[in-house]
Amino acid sequence: MSFLARRLTRIKPSPTIAMTTRAAELRAEGRDIISLSAGEPDFDTPRHICEAGKAAIDAGHTRYTPVDGIASLKRAICDKFARENGLDYDPSQITVGTGGKQILFNALMATVDAGDEVIVPAPYWVSYPDMVLLAGGTPVIVECGVQDGFRLTPEALEKAITPRTRWLILNSPSNPSGAGYGREDMQALTDVLLRHPDVWVLSDDIYEHLVFDGFQFVTPAQVQPRLKDRVLTMNGVSKAYAMTGWRIGYGAGPEPLIRAMAKLQSQSTSNPCSISQHAAQAALTGPQDYVRESRAVFQRRRDLVVAGLNECPGIECPTPQGAFYVYPSIAGLIGLTSAGGTRIEDDRAFADALLDETGVAVVFGAAFGLSPHFRISYATGDDQLREAVTRIRRFCEGCG
């Protein structure tokens, strides 16, 4: 009899972390590696946020806090939702966790029973289906191809809903595609959801501030207030403020759901880091210059990468509305053989050969539920991106 729980057989390790780890191992062996696999801003956390963390230590804020967040941070989150999204929440409707991932995990674990279904549009962030599986549910994958702009259509949503549907997970802008739902797109989805009162919406808004070309971000509860009582809106400070290591995410939703999530958190991690909570409060209430400045940098990098990839034989790269990822198609390379002798049977073979032969680490599209694609994170320096695109072009030119 295995000592390990059977539930672990339902999930797999994160493919993005696996590729990042492999790239690090090759670099440690002396290889010249450019890793474009991790979704992490390459900027330092803004100084005023770091100073707030230091001040919290000096002030003795190093003890346990309430399970799901200090009152002042919850108030700052309420103010953020009112100011930026036109959403009115009380602190009792706010939960704070150790990163956005914990908010998502808590919500699913608190609400999903065996046999319940969760609609997950593909391409998806790699953790969504596995979280559903850990909760005992069934992820219902709905492919949203490039012909739909990598966005879920109202017709596809209607078709996917069954009497067992518990949640729809929406991520805008998206990891991995960078696709965003404008107001008209979101309105069409919320119109469908109004006809299905038992379906809740888990809105992952973590890339809210990373939008380009004048794209106007919206979130479901904002577009359709009648859905607010069955929407959990998740956000955090990791991406917008370069605070990935501080591990603070938050969510807003109906009070009974928030209480259930807090109950679960009380028996797992308890409170998120006290120091990080004070730093997150400074991020939400302090100067927002960094957000605007970093957005401009990421848009420049996006344009660099999209233009360069579209010069590569066999690759087509759509222009994303936000986040810091591109999700190009390699349909034109399938069936070819690389200069190093690898037959490109699928996007995983492409990613492996690209790393082995050029030292560029990307994540294969099957990890995100939609092939034949690959994901690049352009949250790294311009020079590295230029060199990476040059290597990818040479790799593609060598395929035949």
Side-chain angles (χ1 to χ4, degrees):
M1 180 182 295
S2 172
F3 178 72
L4 300 179
R6 286 192 298 274
R7 72 175 66 91
L8 286 180
T9 64
R10 306 188 76 194
I11 65 171
K12 59 186 179 300
S14 167
T16 54
I17 293 176
M19 183 59 78
T20 301
T21 301
R22 186 178 175 212
E25 291 171 347
L26 291 174
R27 187 180 291 115
E29 294 172 4
R31 288 281 306 277
D32 177 16
I33 301 295
I34 300 176
S35 182
L36 305 179
S37 55
E40 181 172 42
D42 61 326
F43 308 118
D44 291 332
T45 304
R47 179 52 45 194
H48 73 280
I49 299 174
C50 294
E51 293 300 330
K54 295 175 184 177
I57 296 173
D58 292 339
H61 297 306
T62 56
R63 300 181 181 277
Y64 293 133
T65 76
V67 164
D68 65 345
I70 58 177
S72 57
L73 175 55
K74 288 191 173 187
R75 173 47 60 190
I77 293 167
C78 289
D79 292 344
K80 178 265 181 231
F81 278 120
R83 180 179 66 250
E84 297 182 352
N85 308 111
L87 292 171
D88 181 25
Y89 288 106
D90 292 326
S92 62
Q93 297 173 298
I94 302 295
T95 183
V96 181
T98 305
K101 183 177 284 189
Q102 185 175 32
I103 302 299
L104 300 170
F105 185 82
N106 285 351
L108 293 169
M109 289 296 290
T111 59
V112 173
D113 285 321
D116 288 343
E117 296 175 352
V118 177
I119 297 172
V120 182
Y124 47 70
W125 180 48
V126 295
S127 293
Y128 294 148
D130 287 309
M131 287 183 181
V132 174
L133 290 168
L134 274 175
T138 301
V140 176
I141 308 302
V142 181
E143 289 194 0
C144 308
V146 67
Q147 71 277 3
D148 297 315
F150 299 122
R151 288 184 290 270
L152 179 67
T153 66
E155 295 79 13
L157 172 59
E158 184 77 60
K159 185 176 180 180
I161 293 173
T162 76
R164 303 290 305 185
T165 304
R166 193 72 160 171
W167 288 95
L168 162 67
I169 299 179
L170 280 180
N171 177 209
S172 173
S174 160
N175 175 6
S177 71
Y181 291 84
R183 181 171 289 274
E184 185 176 339
D185 297 318
M186 192 68 78
Q187 184 73 59
L189 296 179
T190 59
D191 286 347
V192 173
L193 293 165
L194 286 175
R195 299 195 291 270
H196 298 276
D198 294 328
V199 179
W200 285 51
V201 186
L202 208 170
S203 184
D204 181 347
D205 296 358
I206 198 73
Y207 296 100
E208 171 185 4
H209 292 295
L210 295 175
V211 293
F212 313 127
D213 302 323
F215 179 85
Q216 297 296 310
F217 171 84
V218 292
T219 195
Q222 172 189 16
V223 170
Q224 180 46 266
R226 290 163 59 191
L227 288 178
K228 185 183 175 188
D229 288 341
R230 50 188 172 106
V231 174
L232 178 69
T233 303
M234 190 282 288
N235 212 316
V237 296
S238 295
K239 313 298 184 178
Y241 301 98
M243 295 178 66
T244 51
W246 296 80
R247 307 309 302 133
I248 294 291
Y250 56 84
E255 190 171 341
L257 172 62
I258 298 300
R259 285 200 305 267
M261 292 168 63
K263 179 180 180 181
L264 183 65
Q265 190 161 305
S266 74
Q267 297 293 1
S268 55
T269 62
S270 195
N271 65 272
C273 172
S274 59
I275 299 157
S276 296
Q277 290 187 64
H278 287 275
Q281 182 178 329
L284 295 176
T285 61
Q288 301 297 302
D289 302 37
Y290 166 82
V291 175
R292 293 186 292 271
E293 293 165 359
S294 63
R295 182 190 300 126
V297 172
F298 284 128
Q299 180 166 336
R300 184 186 72 239
R301 292 174 176 176
R302 178 205 64 172
D303 293 344
L304 183 162
V305 171
V306 169
L309 289 176
N310 279 322
E311 293 178 356
C312 300
I315 289 181
E316 293 184 10
C317 185
T319 301
Q321 288 84 27
F324 39 64
Y325 309 102
V326 292
Y327 200 61
S329 167
I330 59 162
L333 296 173
I334 298 298
L336 302 183
T337 301
S338 72
T342 297
R343 181 173 172 80
I344 303 175
E345 297 179 345
D346 52 31
D347 46 44
R348 183 163 197 160
F350 168 85
D352 287 343
L354 186 69
L355 179 57
D356 291 339
E357 297 179 30
T358 75
V360 176
V362 301
V363 186
F364 57 95
F368 306 100
L370 189 69
S371 296
H373 293 265
F374 68 99
R375 190 195 76 173
I376 279 180
S377 168
Y378 51 85
T380 190
D382 292 32
D383 290 343
Q384 278 198 311
L385 290 172
R386 289 190 186 93
E387 175 61 21
V389 169
T390 297
R391 295 185 191 184
I392 294 171
R393 184 175 67 250
R394 289 173 183 164
F395 176 86
C396 294
E397 291 170 346
C399 292

